[in-house]
Amino acid sequence: SLAIGLLALPVLGGIAALLVFGVPALAHQVQSLIERMPELLQQIAAWIDDLQQGIVRVDLPLVNEEGLAERLRELSPATVVAFLEEQQAAIATRTWEGILGLGRGIGTVVTVISYVVLTPVLTFYLLRDWDGILDRIRSYIPRPRLEAWTGFAVEYDRLLSRYLRGQVLVAAIVGTLTWIGLWIAGFPYSGLVGATAGVFNVVPYLGLPVSLVPAVVIALVSGSFWASALKIAIVFGIVQILDGNVIGPRVVGESVGLHPVWVILAIVVAGFFFGFVGFLLAIPGAILIKLLVEAGLERYRESAVYLGDQARAGERAG
């Protein structure tokens, strides 16, 4: 218990520092960005006006410019602005529900209680009693299967721990580099964009497109879109190059052996059913399925169904 307490001190200190300094700073940037949303809505209305005026002057092949312009005229900029303003609260609510994975049988209160209270309590007792738990589990495993089952669990633990440690560290580095790069470039709300890039970078293939969304929105309300877009392109390009060629290979090390198509499929399926929590659990689940499939294929190759006459000859020789 004392050792666990000593190990928990720096973790709790880091969480406390994040809550005291980081969260208020991010909340201030989010509030400031929300206050500037009317500017973005007016910008959208101006773009619709420009599009309506310019569509007739452009001779597009196989396109009826007059008919297209007429449809755009029916899309009133004032109506678009009013609709988006009405939907701001609903969009924020749906976004928050998507992040928490709500709406699928998990209540907000239960989720918050489990995150804030149960997680540290369960972590403490699991760490303290882990060796005893493992011994108790081993005592129930059939003796002929003990080595095979224990080896499977050890391999899964090795792959999963390597993946989790590597992804969290890489996400922290990517988020920090994104924040520092945008801050040096003078990009507004750099802390918010860096935090978004870091959090979503935990999920493979998701961090870059998701973090680009707030960056582009901020660029739209910055007053100089093309200059801001150039800053985004340079910073994100450099960070992605470092992540793909230096940070990822050195921190995560060798891959867990999953094909990129399998990774994307696992993320899509898990995210559809379980929201953001599913994104986090997709790769651990995919690793487990991979090991189960490999174990099944190994047993199949050793079976009489696969070996055929060779297996029967071996039995007769035995």
Side-chain angles (χ1 to χ4, degrees):
S1 299
L2 179 60
I4 295 171
L6 292 176
L7 289 173
L9 285 178
V11 177
L12 295 176
I15 294 175
L18 181 64
L19 293 176
V20 172
F21 300 105
V23 173
L26 288 178
H28 175 73
Q29 292 198 359
V30 171
Q31 181 63 32
S32 177
L33 181 60
I34 292 176
E35 292 174 354
R36 297 190 62 181
M37 286 306 294
E39 299 180 23
L40 175 61
L41 299 178
Q42 294 299 328
Q43 184 70 33
I44 293 175
W47 282 354
I48 294 176
D49 279 332
D50 293 340
L51 189 60
Q52 289 175 350
Q53 298 173 7
I55 195 69
V56 180
R57 297 195 299 266
V58 178
D59 185 16
L60 298 175
L62 305 179
V63 175
N64 184 357
E65 292 83 2
E66 291 291 342
L68 183 58
E70 184 63 29
R71 293 197 189 106
L72 287 174
R73 291 190 191 99
E74 296 174 358
L75 188 63
S76 170
T79 304
V80 174
V81 172
F83 173 77
L84 292 176
E85 289 176 344
E86 291 175 0
Q87 295 298 316
Q88 284 185 34
I91 292 172
T93 301
R94 295 192 192 104
T95 302
W96 182 242
E97 290 179 351
I99 291 174
L100 293 180
L102 303 178
R104 297 176 175 88
I106 303 177
T108 307
V109 176
V110 175
T111 303
V112 172
I113 291 176
S114 64
Y115 288 166
V116 175
V117 178
L118 293 181
T119 300
V121 172
L122 291 176
T123 301
F124 172 79
Y125 282 107
L126 283 175
L127 288 174
R128 194 189 68 174
D129 302 329
W130 186 247
D131 292 335
I133 293 173
L134 291 182
D135 292 338
R136 178 63 64 88
I137 293 174
R138 289 192 187 98
S139 68
Y140 294 118
I141 298 177
R143 297 300 95 178
R145 300 290 183 184
L146 178 61
E147 183 177 351
W149 290 14
T150 303
F152 178 88
V154 168
E155 178 65 12
Y156 180 67
D157 175 72
R158 183 182 68 84
L159 292 177
L160 182 61
S161 60
R162 184 173 65 186
Y163 166 77
L164 292 178
R165 286 196 302 265
Q167 283 299 113
V168 171
L169 184 55
V170 167
I173 295 174
V174 167
T176 303
L177 290 178
T178 303
W179 164 52
I180 294 175
L182 292 176
W183 177 69
I184 292 175
F187 189 82
Y189 309 105
S190 57
L192 177 61
V193 179
T196 305
V199 170
F200 285 96
N201 201 75
V202 174
V203 184
Y205 307 105
L206 189 65
L208 178 61
V210 173
S211 57
L212 280 175
V213 173
V216 172
V217 172
I218 293 169
L220 290 173
V221 299
S222 64
S224 54
F225 173 75
W226 294 113
S228 299
L230 180 61
K231 296 175 183 178
I232 293 173
I234 294 174
V235 172
F236 274 79
I238 294 175
V239 172
Q240 290 303 310
I241 291 174
L242 292 175
D243 182 21
N245 297 281
V246 180
I247 303 173
R250 288 185 176 273
V251 175
V252 179
E254 298 178 0
S255 137
V256 294
L258 294 175
H259 193 277
V261 174
W262 177 242
V263 171
I264 295 174
L265 181 62
I267 292 173
V268 170
V269 173
F272 176 80
F273 285 104
F274 304 106
F276 185 69
V277 176
F279 288 137
L280 299 178
L281 298 179
I283 304 304
I287 295 173
L288 178 60
I289 294 174
K290 168 182 176 290
L291 293 178
L292 290 173
V293 171
E294 288 180 347
L297 290 175
E298 184 177 354
R299 293 197 61 180
Y300 166 69
R301 293 191 184 99
E302 295 174 354
S303 67
V305 176
Y306 179 78
L307 296 176
D309 295 337
Q310 182 180 352
R312 288 191 287 271
E315 291 177 359
R316 287 195 294 268

